[in-house]
Amino acid sequence: MPTASPCVLVIFGASGDLAKRKLIPAIYELMREKLISENFALVGFSRSPMSDDEYRKECREAVHSFARTKPVDEALWKKIESSAYYVQGDYGSADDHAKLAKTLAKLDQEKGTQGNRLFYLSTPPNTFEPIITCLGEQHRNAAAGSWQHIIIEKPFGRDLASAKSLNNLLHKYFSEEQVFRIDHYLGKETVQNLMVMRFANSIFEPMWNFRYIDHVQITVSETLGVGSRGGYYDKSGALRDMVQNHLFQLMALVAMEPPAVLDATCIRDEKVKVYKSIRVIPPEQVEENFVRGQYSAGEANGQKTPGYRAEKGVPADSRTETFVALKLHVDNWRWSGRPFYLRTGKFLPQKLSEIVVRFRSPPQTLFQTSAAKVYPNDLIIRVQPEEGLSWRLNAKVPGGQLNIKSVALDFLYSKTFNCEAPEAYERLIHDAILGEQTLFIRADEAEAAWTVLDPVEQAWAKSKSEPQPYAPGSWGPPKAMELLERDGRQWMHTTEVEPVVGCAD
């Protein structure tokens, strides 16, 4: 991979959890692999009072705690540390942004960063507008030959109107080529491998359509509750927080057509076509196709909860969903009549992100008897916890009886390549510095995703029904199971398929 050009990375929200756990360790790993120029500087910007030395100490602690590669190379870190600076300021203050601009100009002289800037908005959504406005006003006169890129964390808007408004503001000061709307799932190796798997292997493409695939399931589950983030989460909910970005990105990569060229424009064109092909759900059919739940009091995964409505910062009458399951149809030639089932939630049994492509049964099942069950073939694309693929096939158990077991052909990144996959933020920060936008979300892509979900949010707002309670440690409310069962299907959990442990007698 090419070494990125000289630049200054400015992290807004430098004292936040994301910066400490992901961004600073990613910078260290990129420097360790020599993917960032020697002429590099890091500037943290946030409201917290802090000196340069105090900020460097926080960065050091973050790297020692969360860096992927251990032990930390102290000589390398001291080199990075000497190029780290801190600016205290209010996100919407023109004076504080002017102070930042002076710091950046000074670094251009001292560190040779050539006027190149990567602004990372690792802040709450309500700060996006003032930061973008101040950046646009202060840095609109960039030096000739230099570049300015801006990364924006999710959520990008809370509905179609706010997403359009945010895009309009961005385009007032930045061209679309300068804007990088981040979804860290797109930086994960398995997600990137989806296109390689589909379009570089002739075995899959002939079968990747309604003739051979029965349906697709996408699950992103969490084992913990909202914790101390109740106040923020209650303004969002599972549909806005997870479906509009993470799950929809996974769905688009599974459903998209082959791009004409392997570049950012063509790939994102195909993803937009997927969103535009999704069948519009009329308000009267929302309850039939979308299930929302809220976790109740209980204990699971070593954590106790008084229930979502009793969490800190959550109103006692909150109707915000902590779980959602939905059924969608992509109405195009490839996916005609084949549903996509998506679900996500908090306080579920496993921390899991996976795609299950379930294939149709053979036209005549010769081996289906009361004593021998024939299982469906599944292609399982696991994003976490262990990135890899699993291909589930039927096989006869050795022995004199006709016993059939579902067996797995597994591929795990860690075992096959004997190394740990890079963290998603490493790839995405590197790409943003290079100006490579393939793994980022385009303006019309974000708006197209909101177009699908806006009618659902509006229907829920008008509905008198409330989210259904579910017990912590369960897979959500009963209606989530019924969503598939009424179609003669079931949710897939990989732990349900037992491995072959011995031979038949």
Side-chain angles (χ1 to χ4, degrees), residues 195 198-199 248-249 251-278 330 332 334-335 442 444-445 448:
M195 283 195 296
R198 284 191 56 192
F199 304 131
F248 266 24
Q249 287 296 318
M251 178 184 67
L253 290 169
V254 171
M256 64 183 279
E257 295 298 317
V261 180
L262 208 61
D263 64 13
T265 299
C266 290
I267 290 171
R268 295 190 294 181
D269 282 349
E270 297 303 331
K271 288 162 68 180
V272 170
K273 289 177 186 177
V274 172
Y275 298 133
K276 290 184 175 180
S277 299
I278 293 174
V330 179
N332 60 19
R334 181 183 294 268
W335 296 105
R442 203 167 60 190
D444 59 338
E445 188 179 346

Side-chain angles (χ1 to χ4, degrees), residues 170-208:
L170 280 165
H171 293 154
K172 180 179 178 181
Y173 300 109
F174 300 92
S175 68
E176 181 61 27
E177 289 69 31
Q178 294 175 281
V179 180
F180 295 76
R181 300 167 192 81
I182 196 168
D183 184 332
H184 73 271
Y185 266 48
L186 293 179
K188 291 180 177 291
E189 285 291 333
T190 306
V191 176
Q192 296 174 53
N193 196 44
L194 257 171
M195 283 195 296
V196 175
M197 182 201 71
R198 284 191 56 192
F199 304 131
N201 295 290
S202 60
I203 188 174
F204 290 121
E205 184 56 25
M207 300 188 300
W208 210 260

Side-chain angles (χ1 to χ4, degrees), residues 54-213:
E54 289 171 328
Y55 180 58
R56 289 165 182 164
K57 183 180 178 182
E58 280 203 357
C59 291
R60 171 183 287 270
E61 291 172 353
V63 169
H64 277 272
S65 298
F66 303 112
R68 176 171 55 87
T69 307
K70 301 290 178 61
V72 171
D73 184 332
E74 288 295 335
L76 172 61
W77 175 249
K78 285 180 180 178
K79 190 174 182 180
I80 301 171
E81 196 174 52
S82 66
S83 298
Y85 301 86
Y86 185 78
V87 176
Q88 180 195 358
D90 185 83
Y91 296 130
S93 167
D95 291 340
D96 291 337
H97 278 265
K99 183 169 59 173
L100 171 64
K102 289 181 181 179
T103 299
L104 298 181
K106 182 181 177 184
L107 291 175
D108 286 338
Q109 296 296 321
E110 295 178 356
K111 302 293 182 181
T113 48
Q114 301 178 8
N116 297 328
R117 316 278 189 251
L118 175 59
F119 301 111
Y120 198 122
L121 275 59
S122 175
T123 57
N126 64 342
T127 66
F128 290 172
E129 184 176 338
I131 293 174
I132 293 166
T133 301
C134 287
L135 286 177
E137 296 295 338
Q138 288 287 347
H139 302 276
R140 60 170 60 201
N141 297 317
S146 65
W147 53 259
Q148 296 183 25
H149 299 161
I150 181 170
I151 297 180
I152 302 177
E153 271 287 344
K154 77 171 188 74
F156 191 85
R158 58 176 285 106
D159 53 23
L160 179 59
S162 59
K164 284 184 174 180
S165 177
L166 187 54
N167 275 330
N168 290 337
L169 178 65
L170 280 165
H171 293 154
K172 180 179 178 181
Y173 300 109
F174 300 92
S175 68
E176 181 61 27
E177 289 69 31
Q178 294 175 281
V179 180
F180 295 76
R181 300 167 192 81
I182 196 168
D183 184 332
H184 73 271
Y185 266 48
L186 293 179
K188 291 180 177 291
E189 285 291 333
T190 306
V191 176
Q192 296 174 53
N193 196 44
L194 257 171
M195 283 195 296
V196 175
M197 182 201 71
R198 284 191 56 192
F199 304 131
N201 295 290
S202 60
I203 188 174
F204 290 121
E205 184 56 25
M207 300 188 300
W208 210 260
N209 56 62
F210 70 95
R211 292 183 178 87
Y212 297 98
I213 292 175

Side-chain angles (χ1 to χ4, degrees), residues 441-474:
I441 298 168
R442 203 167 60 190
D444 59 338
E445 188 179 346
E447 293 178 13
W450 279 120
T451 300
V452 177
L453 295 180
D454 256 17
V456 179
E457 290 284 2
Q458 292 164 10
W460 281 351
K462 295 176 182 177
S463 173
K464 294 181 181 179
S465 65
E466 296 189 347
Q468 301 169 42
Y470 65 93
S474 71

Side-chain angles (χ1 to χ4, degrees), residues 396-438:
K396 179 185 177 296
V397 178
Q401 298 178 357
L402 183 59
N403 290 332
I404 294 175
K405 283 282 187 178
S406 179
V407 297
L409 306 180
D410 290 333
F411 153 60
L412 296 176
Y413 275 92
S414 58
K415 292 183 178 179
T416 301
F417 298 111
N418 198 29
C419 67
E420 187 180 357
E423 281 283 336
Y425 283 96
E426 296 172 32
R427 173 65 187 272
L428 295 172
I429 290 174
H430 184 246
D431 278 4
I433 296 174
L434 293 173
E436 170 54 59
Q437 292 186 301
T438 301

Side-chain angles (χ1 to χ4, degrees), residues 234-459:
D234 199 65
K235 297 179 178 64
S236 174
L239 195 70
R240 288 190 175 102
D241 189 49
M242 297 294 289
V243 176
Q244 188 271 339
N245 37 74
H246 296 334
L247 277 81
F248 266 24
Q249 287 296 318
L250 296 178
M251 178 184 67
L253 290 169
V254 171
M256 64 183 279
E257 295 298 317
V261 180
L262 208 61
D263 64 13
T265 299
C266 290
I267 290 171
R268 295 190 294 181
D269 282 349
E270 297 303 331
K271 288 162 68 180
V272 170
K273 289 177 186 177
V274 172
Y275 298 133
K276 290 184 175 180
S277 299
I278 293 174
R279 185 183 303 172
V280 176
I281 306 294
E284 64 273 13
Q285 294 180 15
V286 166
E287 295 293 334
E288 180 184 343
N289 292 280
F290 285 74
V291 177
R292 53 179 172 158
Q294 227 180 47
Y295 63 80
S296 54
E299 181 177 1
N301 311 304
Q303 183 186 21
K304 291 183 179 179
T305 176
Y308 177 72
R309 292 184 178 183
E311 298 279 19
K312 183 179 178 181
V314 177
D317 60 349
S318 173
R319 296 173 63 191
T320 299
E321 75 285 354
T322 62
F323 173 94
V324 64
L326 53 142
K327 174 184 174 181
L328 295 174
H329 282 92
V330 179
D331 284 336
N332 60 19
W333 190 280
R334 181 183 294 268
W335 296 105
S336 177
R338 300 298 164 211
F340 282 71
Y341 300 100
L342 283 61
R343 66 175 171 176
T344 183
K346 295 189 175 294
F347 255 130
L348 301 182
Q350 296 174 258
K351 184 174 178 61
L352 188 70
S353 296
E354 71 178 21
I355 302 161
V356 178
V357 180
R358 175 153 290 177
F359 289 86
R360 299 179 67 181
S361 299
Q364 185 177 12
T365 308
L366 298 175
F367 303 101
Q368 191 80 54
T369 67
S370 58
K373 180 179 180 181
V374 177
Y375 299 87
N377 295 144
D378 293 311
L379 177 64
I380 302 167
I381 304 156
R382 191 173 296 110
V383 179
Q384 64 178 18
E386 284 192 296
E387 296 189 61
L389 306 174
S390 184
W391 185 231
R392 296 295 172 90
L393 305 173
N394 288 298
K396 179 185 177 296
V397 178
Q401 298 178 357
L402 183 59
N403 290 332
I404 294 175
K405 283 282 187 178
S406 179
V407 297
L409 306 180
D410 290 333
F411 153 60
L412 296 176
Y413 275 92
S414 58
K415 292 183 178 179
T416 301
F417 298 111
N418 198 29
C419 67
E420 187 180 357
E423 281 283 336
Y425 283 96
E426 296 172 32
R427 173 65 187 272
L428 295 172
I429 290 174
H430 184 246
D431 278 4
I433 296 174
L434 293 173
E436 170 54 59
Q437 292 186 301
T438 301
L439 301 179
F440 295 86
I441 298 168
R442 203 167 60 190
D444 59 338
E445 188 179 346
E447 293 178 13
W450 279 120
T451 300
V452 177
L453 295 180
D454 256 17
V456 179
E457 290 284 2
Q458 292 164 10

